[in-house]
Amino acid sequence: MSEQPVNAAASDAEAGVVVNPYGGGSTSAGGPKRVRTRHFQNAKREGIKITGLTSYDQLTARIFDEAGIDFLLVGDSAGNNVLGYETTLPVTVDDLIPLTRAVAGAVKRAFVVADMPFGSYENGPEQALETAVRFMKETGAHAVKLEGGERSQKQIRRIVAAGIPVMAHIGYTPQSEHGLGGHIIQGRGEGIKQLLADAEAVQEAGAFAVVLEMVPADAARQVTERLEIPTISVGAGPHTDGQLLVWTDWAGLTIGRIPKFVKQYANLAGILSDAAAAWRQDVTNGAYPTEEHSY
Ligand code: KIV
Protein backbone atom coordinates (compact mmCIF):
# COMPACT_ATOMS: atom_id res chain seq x y z
CA MET A 1 0.00 0.00 0.00
CA SER A 2 0.98 3.62 -0.31
CA GLU A 3 3.04 5.34 2.38
CA GLN A 4 0.45 7.27 4.36
CA PRO A 5 1.40 8.87 7.68
CA VAL A 6 -1.28 7.52 9.99
CA ASN A 7 -0.61 9.76 12.97
CA ALA A 8 -1.66 13.07 11.44
CA ALA A 9 -4.03 13.82 14.31
CA ALA A 10 -1.24 13.51 16.87
CA SER A 11 1.21 15.63 14.88
CA ASP A 12 -1.46 18.25 14.21
CA ALA A 13 -2.23 18.38 17.93
CA GLU A 14 1.44 18.82 18.76
CA ALA A 15 1.53 21.71 16.29
CA GLY A 16 -1.19 23.46 18.31
CA VAL A 17 -3.94 22.87 15.78
CA VAL A 18 -7.56 22.26 16.86
CA VAL A 19 -8.04 18.69 15.71
CA ASN A 20 -10.87 16.60 14.38
CA PRO A 21 -9.35 13.15 13.82
CA TYR A 22 -9.49 13.61 10.09
CA GLY A 23 -9.49 17.06 8.74
CA GLY A 24 -12.08 19.02 10.68
CA GLY A 25 -11.15 21.68 13.19
CA SER A 26 -9.24 24.71 12.14
CA THR A 27 -5.76 25.82 11.29
CA SER A 28 -3.81 28.01 13.66
CA ALA A 29 -4.81 30.85 11.30
CA GLY A 30 -8.48 30.09 12.10
CA GLY A 31 -9.57 28.68 8.73
CA PRO A 32 -10.82 25.13 8.27
CA LYS A 33 -8.09 22.51 8.01
CA ARG A 34 -7.82 20.91 4.59
CA VAL A 35 -8.65 17.19 4.40
CA ARG A 36 -5.60 15.24 3.23
CA THR A 37 -5.03 11.64 2.21
CA ARG A 38 -3.64 10.86 5.66
CA HIS A 39 -6.98 11.84 7.16
CA PHE A 40 -8.68 9.10 5.15
CA GLN A 41 -6.24 6.63 6.68
CA ASN A 42 -6.80 8.05 10.18
CA ALA A 43 -10.56 7.80 9.73
CA LYS A 44 -10.31 4.09 8.93
CA ARG A 45 -8.09 3.48 11.92
CA GLU A 46 -10.37 5.47 14.26
CA GLY A 47 -13.61 4.04 12.84
CA ILE A 48 -14.88 7.47 11.75
CA LYS A 49 -17.06 7.33 8.64
CA ILE A 50 -15.84 9.30 5.62
CA THR A 51 -18.44 11.24 3.62
CA GLY A 52 -18.29 12.13 -0.06
CA LEU A 53 -20.64 13.66 -2.60
CA THR A 54 -20.31 14.42 -6.25
CA SER A 55 -20.22 18.09 -7.21
CA TYR A 56 -19.93 19.68 -10.64
CA ASP A 57 -20.06 23.42 -9.90
CA GLN A 58 -18.94 26.06 -7.45
CA LEU A 59 -22.37 26.58 -5.85
CA THR A 60 -22.86 23.04 -4.63
CA ALA A 61 -19.13 22.71 -3.86
CA ARG A 62 -19.32 25.64 -1.44
CA ILE A 63 -22.51 24.35 0.20
CA PHE A 64 -21.22 20.79 0.63
CA ASP A 65 -17.83 22.02 1.85
CA GLU A 66 -19.45 24.22 4.49
CA ALA A 67 -21.70 21.31 5.50
CA GLY A 68 -18.55 19.35 6.37
CA ILE A 69 -18.57 16.77 3.56
CA ASP A 70 -15.05 15.33 3.56
CA PHE A 71 -14.46 14.88 -0.15
CA LEU A 72 -16.09 16.03 -3.37
CA LEU A 73 -15.86 13.92 -6.49
CA VAL A 74 -16.15 15.73 -9.80
CA GLY A 75 -17.46 12.56 -11.33
CA ASP A 76 -17.89 11.65 -14.96
CA SER A 77 -21.52 11.28 -13.84
CA ALA A 78 -21.50 14.92 -14.96
CA GLY A 79 -22.23 13.28 -18.31
CA ASN A 80 -25.76 12.34 -17.23
CA ASN A 81 -26.29 15.14 -14.71
CA VAL A 82 -24.87 18.23 -16.37
CA LEU A 83 -23.84 17.59 -19.96
CA GLY A 84 -26.97 15.88 -21.27
CA TYR A 85 -25.41 12.55 -22.28
CA GLU A 86 -27.18 9.25 -21.67
CA THR A 87 -24.13 7.58 -20.15
CA THR A 88 -20.67 8.54 -18.93
CA LEU A 89 -18.97 7.13 -22.02
CA PRO A 90 -18.92 10.30 -24.18
CA VAL A 91 -17.44 12.44 -21.37
CA THR A 92 -13.98 13.86 -22.16
CA VAL A 93 -11.17 15.36 -20.12
CA ASP A 94 -11.98 18.72 -21.71
CA ASP A 95 -15.57 18.39 -20.46
CA LEU A 96 -14.44 17.79 -16.88
CA ILE A 97 -11.54 20.26 -16.55
CA PRO A 98 -13.68 23.42 -16.15
CA LEU A 99 -16.12 21.68 -13.79
CA THR A 100 -13.27 20.38 -11.63
CA ARG A 101 -11.62 23.80 -11.57
CA ALA A 102 -14.88 25.37 -10.37
CA VAL A 103 -15.25 22.83 -7.56
CA ALA A 104 -11.61 22.95 -6.44
CA GLY A 105 -11.69 26.74 -6.44
CA ALA A 106 -14.76 26.87 -4.20
CA VAL A 107 -13.74 24.63 -1.29
CA LYS A 108 -11.75 25.45 1.82
CA ARG A 109 -11.74 22.10 3.61
CA ALA A 110 -13.02 19.30 1.36
CA PHE A 111 -10.64 17.06 -0.56
CA VAL A 112 -11.40 17.29 -4.29
CA VAL A 113 -11.12 14.21 -6.51
CA ALA A 114 -11.08 14.53 -10.31
CA ASP A 115 -12.61 11.60 -12.18
CA MET A 116 -10.64 10.34 -15.17
CA PRO A 117 -13.14 9.74 -17.99
CA PHE A 118 -13.38 6.76 -20.33
CA GLY A 119 -10.58 6.76 -22.92
CA SER A 120 -8.20 8.90 -20.86
CA TYR A 121 -6.13 6.15 -19.21
CA GLU A 122 -6.81 2.74 -20.81
CA ASN A 123 -3.88 3.01 -23.30
CA GLY A 124 -1.43 2.51 -20.47
CA PRO A 125 0.51 4.13 -17.64
CA GLU A 126 1.92 7.01 -19.70
CA GLN A 127 -1.48 8.07 -21.00
CA ALA A 128 -2.88 7.76 -17.47
CA LEU A 129 -0.12 9.92 -16.03
CA GLU A 130 -0.59 12.55 -18.74
CA THR A 131 -4.29 12.79 -17.94
CA ALA A 132 -3.70 12.92 -14.18
CA VAL A 133 -1.09 15.66 -14.61
CA ARG A 134 -3.56 17.70 -16.68
CA PHE A 135 -6.15 17.52 -13.91
CA MET A 136 -3.63 18.46 -11.23
CA LYS A 137 -2.10 21.35 -13.21
CA GLU A 138 -5.25 22.79 -14.75
CA THR A 139 -7.86 22.39 -11.99
CA GLY A 140 -6.39 22.44 -8.49
CA ALA A 141 -7.86 19.00 -7.69
CA HIS A 142 -6.15 17.07 -4.90
CA ALA A 143 -6.37 13.56 -6.39
CA VAL A 144 -7.69 11.61 -9.35
CA LYS A 145 -10.00 8.60 -9.57
CA LEU A 146 -10.01 5.91 -12.20
CA GLU A 147 -12.00 2.73 -12.70
CA GLY A 148 -10.70 -0.84 -12.69
CA GLY A 149 -8.84 -3.14 -10.32
CA GLU A 150 -6.20 -5.52 -11.68
CA ARG A 151 -6.62 -4.09 -15.17
CA SER A 152 -5.74 -0.57 -13.99
CA GLN A 153 -2.97 -1.52 -11.57
CA LYS A 154 -0.08 -0.30 -13.76
CA GLN A 155 -1.82 3.00 -14.37
CA ILE A 156 -2.40 3.56 -10.66
CA ARG A 157 1.20 2.70 -9.81
CA ARG A 158 2.53 5.16 -12.41
CA ILE A 159 0.34 8.04 -11.24
CA VAL A 160 1.12 7.43 -7.57
CA ALA A 161 4.86 7.28 -8.37
CA ALA A 162 4.53 10.81 -9.76
CA GLY A 163 3.18 12.03 -6.42
CA ILE A 164 -0.50 12.18 -7.36
CA PRO A 165 -2.95 10.48 -4.98
CA VAL A 166 -5.30 7.97 -6.61
CA MET A 167 -8.75 6.89 -5.48
CA ALA A 168 -9.50 3.54 -7.10
CA HIS A 169 -12.98 2.37 -8.19
CA ILE A 170 -13.96 -1.31 -8.39
CA GLY A 171 -17.10 -3.45 -8.35
CA TYR A 172 -19.57 -2.05 -10.86
CA THR A 173 -17.62 0.35 -13.07
CA PRO A 174 -20.00 2.39 -15.25
CA GLN A 175 -17.39 3.06 -17.96
CA SER A 176 -17.34 -0.70 -18.69
CA GLU A 177 -21.11 -1.16 -18.56
CA HIS A 178 -21.14 -2.94 -21.93
CA GLY A 179 -18.23 -5.23 -21.05
CA LEU A 180 -19.96 -6.15 -17.78
CA GLY A 181 -23.20 -6.93 -19.62
CA GLY A 182 -25.26 -4.11 -18.13
CA HIS A 183 -25.95 -2.34 -14.86
CA ILE A 184 -25.24 -5.46 -12.79
CA ILE A 185 -24.27 -5.99 -9.13
CA GLN A 186 -20.66 -7.23 -8.90
CA GLY A 187 -18.95 -9.49 -6.36
CA ARG A 188 -21.85 -11.93 -5.93
CA GLY A 189 -21.09 -15.63 -5.32
CA GLU A 190 -17.82 -16.57 -6.97
CA GLY A 191 -17.48 -12.92 -8.02
CA ILE A 192 -16.10 -12.15 -4.56
CA LYS A 193 -12.75 -13.66 -5.67
CA GLN A 194 -12.32 -11.09 -8.46
CA LEU A 195 -13.51 -8.30 -6.17
CA LEU A 196 -10.90 -9.19 -3.55
CA ALA A 197 -8.19 -9.55 -6.21
CA ASP A 198 -9.11 -6.12 -7.59
CA ALA A 199 -9.10 -4.59 -4.12
CA GLU A 200 -5.67 -6.00 -3.30
CA ALA A 201 -4.31 -4.92 -6.69
CA VAL A 202 -5.28 -1.27 -6.21
CA GLN A 203 -4.01 -1.19 -2.64
CA GLU A 204 -0.72 -2.74 -3.73
CA ALA A 205 -0.43 -0.14 -6.52
CA GLY A 206 -0.66 2.65 -3.94
CA ALA A 207 -4.27 3.89 -4.09
CA PHE A 208 -5.13 5.81 -0.91
CA ALA A 209 -8.81 4.71 -0.95
CA VAL A 210 -11.11 2.59 -3.06
CA VAL A 211 -14.71 3.11 -4.14
CA LEU A 212 -16.84 -0.07 -4.13
CA GLU A 213 -19.82 0.42 -6.39
CA MET A 214 -22.90 -1.83 -6.36
CA VAL A 215 -21.57 -4.86 -4.53
CA PRO A 216 -23.38 -6.90 -1.86
CA ALA A 217 -22.94 -5.56 1.66
CA ASP A 218 -21.25 -8.73 2.86
CA ALA A 219 -18.73 -8.67 0.00
CA ALA A 220 -17.96 -5.01 0.82
CA ARG A 221 -17.47 -5.98 4.48
CA GLN A 222 -14.94 -8.66 3.47
CA VAL A 223 -13.02 -6.19 1.29
CA THR A 224 -13.07 -3.57 4.07
CA GLU A 225 -11.69 -6.06 6.60
CA ARG A 226 -9.02 -7.24 4.16
CA LEU A 227 -7.69 -3.80 3.15
CA GLU A 228 -5.60 -1.28 5.05
CA ILE A 229 -6.84 1.57 2.84
CA PRO A 230 -10.38 2.88 3.39
CA THR A 231 -13.28 1.61 1.31
CA ILE A 232 -15.99 3.99 0.14
CA SER A 233 -19.43 2.61 -0.66
CA VAL A 234 -21.67 3.63 -3.54
CA GLY A 235 -24.43 1.10 -3.14
CA ALA A 236 -22.17 -1.31 -1.25
CA GLY A 237 -23.96 -1.23 2.10
CA PRO A 238 -23.03 -0.02 5.56
CA HIS A 239 -19.85 -1.99 6.37
CA THR A 240 -17.41 0.24 4.50
CA ASP A 241 -15.23 3.04 5.84
CA GLY A 242 -17.20 5.74 4.05
CA GLN A 243 -20.13 6.58 1.81
CA LEU A 244 -20.36 8.44 -1.49
CA LEU A 245 -23.47 9.45 -3.44
CA VAL A 246 -24.25 11.33 -6.62
CA TRP A 247 -25.68 14.51 -5.12
CA THR A 248 -28.50 14.96 -7.61
CA ASP A 249 -29.86 11.53 -6.61
CA TRP A 250 -30.34 12.24 -2.90
CA ALA A 251 -31.43 15.82 -3.57
CA GLY A 252 -34.33 14.72 -5.75
CA LEU A 253 -33.08 16.15 -9.03
CA THR A 254 -32.45 12.90 -10.90
CA ILE A 255 -34.31 12.45 -14.15
CA GLY A 256 -35.59 8.87 -14.31
CA ARG A 257 -34.96 5.97 -11.98
CA ILE A 258 -33.22 6.52 -8.64
CA PRO A 259 -31.04 3.56 -7.62
CA LYS A 260 -32.34 1.40 -4.72
CA PHE A 261 -29.32 2.29 -2.58
CA VAL A 262 -30.12 6.02 -2.58
CA LYS A 263 -32.05 7.63 0.27
CA GLN A 264 -33.66 10.89 -0.80
CA TYR A 265 -32.88 13.78 1.57
CA ALA A 266 -34.52 16.62 -0.35
CA ASN A 267 -36.93 17.28 -3.19
CA LEU A 268 -35.15 20.06 -5.03
CA ALA A 269 -37.00 19.37 -8.28
CA GLY A 270 -40.28 20.10 -6.48
CA ILE A 271 -38.91 23.19 -4.73
CA LEU A 272 -37.48 24.65 -7.96
CA SER A 273 -40.55 23.81 -9.97
CA ASP A 274 -42.85 25.51 -7.42
CA ALA A 275 -40.55 28.56 -7.31
CA ALA A 276 -40.44 28.82 -11.12
CA ALA A 277 -44.24 28.55 -11.37
CA ALA A 278 -44.75 31.16 -8.63
CA TRP A 279 -42.31 33.57 -10.30
CA ARG A 280 -43.94 33.09 -13.69
CA GLN A 281 -47.34 33.79 -12.20
CA ASP A 282 -46.09 36.96 -10.44
CA VAL A 283 -44.55 38.25 -13.67
CA THR A 284 -47.61 37.53 -15.75
CA ASN A 285 -50.04 39.12 -13.28
CA GLY A 286 -47.82 42.11 -12.49
CA ALA A 287 -46.98 41.20 -8.88
CA TYR A 288 -43.27 41.21 -9.72
CA PRO A 289 -41.28 43.40 -9.99
CA THR A 290 -42.64 46.15 -7.73
CA GLU A 291 -41.06 49.41 -6.64
CA GLU A 292 -39.00 47.64 -4.01
CA HIS A 293 -37.17 45.75 -6.79
CA SER A 294 -36.63 48.80 -8.96
CA TYR A 295 -33.86 51.45 -9.11
O1 KIV B 1 -18.86 9.64 -11.64
C1 KIV B 1 -19.31 9.32 -10.54
O2 KIV B 1 -20.19 9.98 -9.97
C2 KIV B 1 -18.76 8.13 -9.91
C3 KIV B 1 -19.40 7.64 -8.66
C4 KIV B 1 -20.71 7.04 -8.92
C5 KIV B 1 -18.49 6.67 -7.97
O3 KIV B 1 -17.82 7.59 -10.39
Side-chain angles (χ1 to χ4, degrees), residues 154-208:
K154 288 197 177 85
Q155 283 89 330
I156 295 172
R157 190 174 285 126
R158 184 74 186 91
I159 298 169
V160 171
I164 301 171
V166 174
M167 178 175 275
H169 181 167
I170 62 173
Y172 177 71
T173 44
Q175 292 172 14
S176 31
E177 174 187 341
H178 300 297
L180 293 172
H183 197 236
I184 292 171
I185 296 168
Q186 303 294 305
R188 273 192 165 144
E190 285 294 296
I192 184 67
K193 288 187 190 143
Q194 185 60 52
L195 189 70
L196 286 168
D198 284 336
E200 284 181 345
V202 300
Q203 170 168 282
E204 199 270 320
F208 73 92

Side-chain angles (χ1 to χ4, degrees), residues 53-56 73-81 88 96 115 145 147 167 169 172 174-175 211-213 232-234 244-247 249 261:
L53 287 173
T54 62
S55 173
Y56 318 105
L73 170 68
V74 188
D76 63 355
S77 51
N80 326 55
N81 288 305
T88 60
L96 293 183
D115 210 3
K145 177 173 87 54
E147 296 185 3
M167 178 175 275
H169 181 167
Y172 177 71
Q175 292 172 14
V211 170
L212 307 178
E213 180 164 353
I232 310 287
S233 159
V234 180
L244 166 66
L245 282 177
V246 171
W247 87 266
D249 286 345
F261 58 80

Side-chain angles (χ1 to χ4, degrees), residues 7-136:
N7 61 347
S11 54
D12 288 342
E14 279 156 22
V17 172
V18 182
V19 173
N20 163 314
Y22 74 115
S26 55
T27 59
S28 41
K33 192 156 70 76
R34 171 78 67 199
V35 175
R36 304 274 182 185
T37 54
R38 65 176 179 274
H39 299 119
F40 284 76
Q41 196 69 49
N42 290 350
K44 175 158 185 138
R45 201 189 53 228
E46 309 277 338
I48 298 168
K49 294 281 186 183
I50 300 160
T51 54
L53 287 173
T54 62
S55 173
Y56 318 105
D57 66 275
Q58 61 153 351
L59 300 177
T60 57
R62 185 163 298 132
I63 293 166
F64 299 157
D65 186 43
E66 284 172 5
I69 302 302
D70 301 309
F71 76 94
L72 299 183
L73 170 68
V74 188
D76 63 355
S77 51
N80 326 55
N81 288 305
V82 177
L83 302 169
Y85 303 140
E86 269 190 26
T87 70
T88 60
L89 294 181
V91 176
T92 65
V93 174
D94 287 336
D95 284 333
L96 293 183
I97 291 265
L99 308 187
T100 311
R101 190 184 295 129
V103 170
V107 303
K108 293 194 166 67
R109 173 183 175 270
F111 187 85
V112 176
V113 182
D115 210 3
M116 297 192 12
F118 179 60
S120 72
Y121 58 93
E122 291 85 347
N123 281 351
E126 292 315 311
Q127 188 206 17
L129 179 60
E130 239 172 67
T131 303
V133 166
R134 265 200 80 187
F135 275 112
M136 301 305 281

